[in-house]
Amino acid sequence: DFPTWPHVDDPPATGSKRREQQKLMNTFDRYLIRRFAHVYFVAFLTTFGLFVVIDAFTNIDGFQERNAGEGYLMLFARMGHYYSYQASPFFDMAGPILIVISAMVVFAMLQKNSEVHPILSAGIPTYRLAVPLLIAAFFVDILLVINQEAVIPAIADRLQTPRGMDQSTAQRVKPVYDYATGIAIYGEELYLEHQTVRHASFALPVPEIVQDLTTLRAREAVYVRGGSDRPSGWLLKGVTRPLHTVPLTDLGRRIVLATDKPDEVFIISDVDGHQLHRSNMSYRFLSTAELLRRIQSPSLGLTSLRGLALHFHERLTKPLMNLLAVLITLPLVIRKGSSSLVANLAGCTLVLGGIFVFAQASLYLGRVSLISVDLAAWLPLIFSGGLCTWTSGLVQT
């Protein structure tokens, strides 16, 4: 009942032979997808477990200092709670690498077990083997996008909380300059969960906002997200100086607004609480929509805008880079004229490592303004596409 494999000189498969080939490949496709999923799942659990062990032993003092003698059971509970949230950014970081590793392992097992020869004998091209792995890689790309767009932004406050601390724990404030209004924002304590700054200070610039140098100090400042009918900004509560005594300019009266309560002031600003805490890294926890909103905001400086734009283009190219990596892996692992699988894997690892180094170097050049941010992000994709075409002639046929 098994299909007979055509000889080299046989005419192209037609009719029933094509149906037999299609049936064979449908079964083999499911087999390859299951193997890819198994390798990917095991690799993720292994690498994440290794990350947890190394990070936990390295930072165990941070957990113990905040455990306050509550016992080992509470200590392990805090560690489990912390690392359960860290699985999401770890998946975002390691997911693309594990796609390449899983594809390499699957192709290597096919070559090792001589499972490629029956497929070639059936008149099926080698690159047909890449189709199920491309489907599996595309599915992982979808999971990575969902993780980046929905999961990470929802738990961003917890991800930025130091080890062993609760979400409501106060964190240090990094002073930020609002380039749209010229207002400098700083304070003593920041609570990311509620977007609240305790003992906040807002330095108003002269002569744009005020006529004399003025700093508004408040017991706390809460960031209020705006909508279609109102702007975003900071609601200052417990202001030490009444607003009517502040010498505001005409522009200042449109930015610094009075409220119904005499000890409260509302200041329009697009700088939120996340930018007051590790502002150079906070964009990694943003959704793409929020990323675009910040890129279009005039409140950020050129350096921050360049970093945001570079990260935005990097997000666009990452799924395509993952798919191209699978296509590059196939001819380097299943290579014609080579009898050493170890040498094939070593060469594939070297080539993929070179692509990674090239991509990081390109991003660095874009970050330091030596090349444009769009070129810095898309140049590795262009290079990978060219390499994919060049290596296609090396595949076993």
Side-chain angles (χ1 to χ4, degrees):
D1 296 333
F2 290 95
T4 57
W5 312 121
H7 298 288
V8 176
D9 297 331
D10 287 348
T14 59
S16 61
K17 288 187 177 181
R18 285 186 177 178
R19 288 193 295 270
E20 290 175 355
Q21 289 181 355
Q22 187 65 32
K23 182 179 179 181
L24 171 65
M25 286 311 300
N26 288 340
T27 303
F28 206 70
D29 288 345
R30 292 192 294 269
Y31 167 71
L32 291 179
I33 291 175
R34 286 196 301 268
R35 178 174 286 186
F36 179 92
H38 175 76
V39 174
Y40 192 94
F41 182 72
V42 173
F44 177 79
L45 289 183
T46 303
T47 53
F48 182 65
L50 183 62
F51 162 75
V52 170
V53 171
I54 295 176
D55 188 81
F57 274 99
T58 304
N59 302 281
I60 188 65
D61 293 338
F63 288 104
Q64 289 179 334
E65 288 176 0
R66 300 177 178 95
N67 196 42
E70 297 179 359
Y72 287 103
L73 185 61
M74 183 58 68
L75 175 63
F76 291 135
R78 288 178 180 272
M79 295 175 65
H81 182 266
Y82 173 80
Y83 287 112
S84 63
Y85 285 101
Q86 293 300 317
S88 183
F90 182 84
F91 176 60
D92 180 70
M93 176 186 65
I97 300 175
L98 295 181
I99 289 177
V100 179
I101 294 176
S102 300
M104 287 179 59
V105 172
V106 171
F107 289 140
M109 293 300 295
L110 290 177
Q111 187 78 334
K112 180 178 181 298
N113 298 330
S114 300
E115 296 174 301
V116 179
H117 302 296
I119 300 299
L120 298 180
S121 300
I124 299 172
T126 310
Y127 266 101
R128 179 62 178 80
L129 299 174
V131 173
L133 296 193
L134 288 175
I135 295 174
F138 180 73
F139 178 74
V140 176
D141 280 337
I142 293 176
L143 293 180
L144 288 169
V145 171
I146 295 175
N147 180 61
Q148 178 64 71
E149 299 298 325
V151 180
I152 291 181
I155 60 175
D157 297 342
R158 297 182 182 273
L159 295 178
Q160 298 180 81
T161 303
R163 296 171 179 82
M165 287 188 176
D166 297 329
Q167 189 179 6
S168 58
T169 304
Q171 301 185 42
R172 298 179 61 182
V173 178
K174 178 182 178 181
V176 173
Y177 182 78
D178 187 340
Y179 285 85
T181 61
I183 299 176
I185 306 172
Y186 48 98
E188 294 183 6
E189 298 176 344
L190 171 64
Y191 295 84
L192 286 172
E193 180 182 8
H194 303 291
Q195 293 283 290
T196 302
V197 176
R198 296 286 175 83
H199 306 291
S201 299
F202 289 71
L204 308 180
V206 179
E208 293 83 2
I209 303 298
V210 289
Q211 299 174 2
D212 298 324
L213 185 60
T214 304
T215 300
L216 288 179
R217 294 180 174 85
R219 182 181 69 256
E220 67 176 19
V222 181
Y223 189 77
V224 179
R225 184 71 63 184
S228 57
D229 57 340
R230 57 187 177 86
S232 302
W234 290 92
L235 178 61
L236 279 61
K237 300 180 179 180
V239 179
T240 57
R241 180 176 179 178
L243 185 59
H244 67 271
T245 63
V246 178
L248 295 173
T249 62
D250 293 338
L251 177 61
R253 294 186 183 92
R254 295 195 297 267
I255 296 176
V256 183
L257 308 176
T259 64
D260 297 336
K261 298 181 180 180
D263 64 337
E264 292 186 359
V265 174
F266 186 80
I267 299 180
I268 298 176
S269 176
D270 286 334
V271 176
D272 60 9
H274 290 285
Q275 295 169 259
L276 299 176
H277 174 68
R278 298 174 62 188
S279 58
N280 58 334
M281 295 293 293
S282 62
Y283 58 81
R284 299 184 182 275
F285 305 114
L286 302 175
S287 64
T288 302
E290 178 64 19
L291 199 63
L292 287 173
R293 190 192 70 82
R294 290 198 180 183
I295 291 175
Q296 298 171 354
S297 172
S299 299
L300 302 179
L302 292 178
T303 303
S304 299
L305 287 176
R306 193 173 188 85
L308 291 172
L310 183 61
H311 186 69
F312 171 73
H313 285 283
E314 188 180 359
R315 284 189 184 182
L316 297 180
T317 59
K318 185 184 297 184
L320 299 176
M321 287 287 293
N322 296 337
L323 299 180
L324 286 178
V326 174
L327 294 176
I328 294 174
T329 301
L330 175 61
L332 295 179
V333 176
I334 307 178
R335 191 172 60 184
K336 65 180 178 182
S338 176
S339 58
S340 175
L341 179 60
V342 176
N344 294 351
L345 290 174
C348 181
T349 303
L350 185 62
V351 171
L352 294 175
I355 295 175
F356 177 78
V357 172
F358 179 80
Q360 295 302 311
S362 178
L363 292 176
Y364 174 77
L365 293 177
R367 201 170 290 115
V368 297
S369 304
L370 292 180
I371 59 177
S372 61
V373 293
D374 50 351
L375 180 61
W378 289 89
L379 189 60
L381 183 66
I382 298 173
F383 176 76
S384 299
L387 188 63
C388 179
T389 304
W390 180 78
T391 56
S392 61
L394 303 177
V395 70
Q396 181 178 343
T397 56

